[in-house]
Amino acid sequence: KPFNPTTCIYDLIKNEFDVDLPIGNGTGLSVDDAIVMRVDTEYVKNEYLVLNYLALYRLVDWHFIRQALIRYGDRKYDLIKISVTNLINSNNWTEVYYFDVTDCIELNAILLNGVD
């Protein structure tokens, strides 16, 4: 069944695995509660690390379906849709996670275009 965390993903990963990923608050289950990616040029790699840790925590496997950059208000979000398989009973379903990547995209634009 789909994941419904009661705490932000950063806290879950920090508490369970003692890993300090460059992410802020959020569960990632909606645009309004997106996982905020801290400014980092490798933010996409970090999005996949989040999904890997969530899978490990939940004893599930996941496979990428699609990723899209969407705008909501003045913010930009990576929407990542995945297929999830329960490793115990082989049930599967799809999930969508939202990552606020606004600050990361702005940093990459500055790096690519140079600073005046």
Side-chain angles (χ1 to χ4, degrees):
K1 71 183 191 184
F3 187 46
N4 191 12
T6 57
T7 185
C8 79
I9 299 302
Y10 173 84
D11 289 342
L12 186 149
I13 293 171
K14 180 69 174 154
N15 293 339
E16 292 296 322
F17 301 103
D18 196 27
V19 174
D20 186 15
L21 291 177
I23 62 175
N25 292 334
T27 63
L29 299 181
S30 70
V31 169
D32 293 323
D33 197 22
I35 298 168
V36 178
M37 303 305 291
R38 293 192 200 144
V39 176
D40 190 318
T41 57
E42 296 188 344
Y43 66 93
V44 174
K45 177 183 105 177
N46 293 325
E47 291 171 347
Y48 287 84
L49 282 174
V50 167
L51 296 174
N52 285 335
Y53 277 111
L54 288 178
L56 185 60
Y57 173 75
R58 299 162 59 198
L59 298 176
V60 298
D61 192 15
W62 69 275
H63 299 296
F64 175 85
I65 296 175
R66 74 179 180 98
Q67 184 168 353
L69 181 64
I70 62 171
R71 292 175 191 262
Y72 182 75
D74 62 347
R75 308 292 294 174
K76 296 177 181 87
Y77 300 86
D78 267 347
L79 175 156
I80 300 179
K81 185 175 186 178
I82 61 174
S83 172
V84 180
T85 303
N86 184 317
L87 295 176
I88 296 168
N89 62 18
S90 298
N91 290 342
N92 64 334
W93 59 91
T94 59
E95 295 179 351
V96 175
Y97 289 91
Y98 297 88
F99 296 87
D100 183 337
V101 296
T102 306
D103 297 336
C104 301
I105 289 174
E106 290 174 0
L107 169 68
N108 284 342
I110 291 169
L111 293 174
L112 288 173
N113 297 322
V115 178
D116 293 320

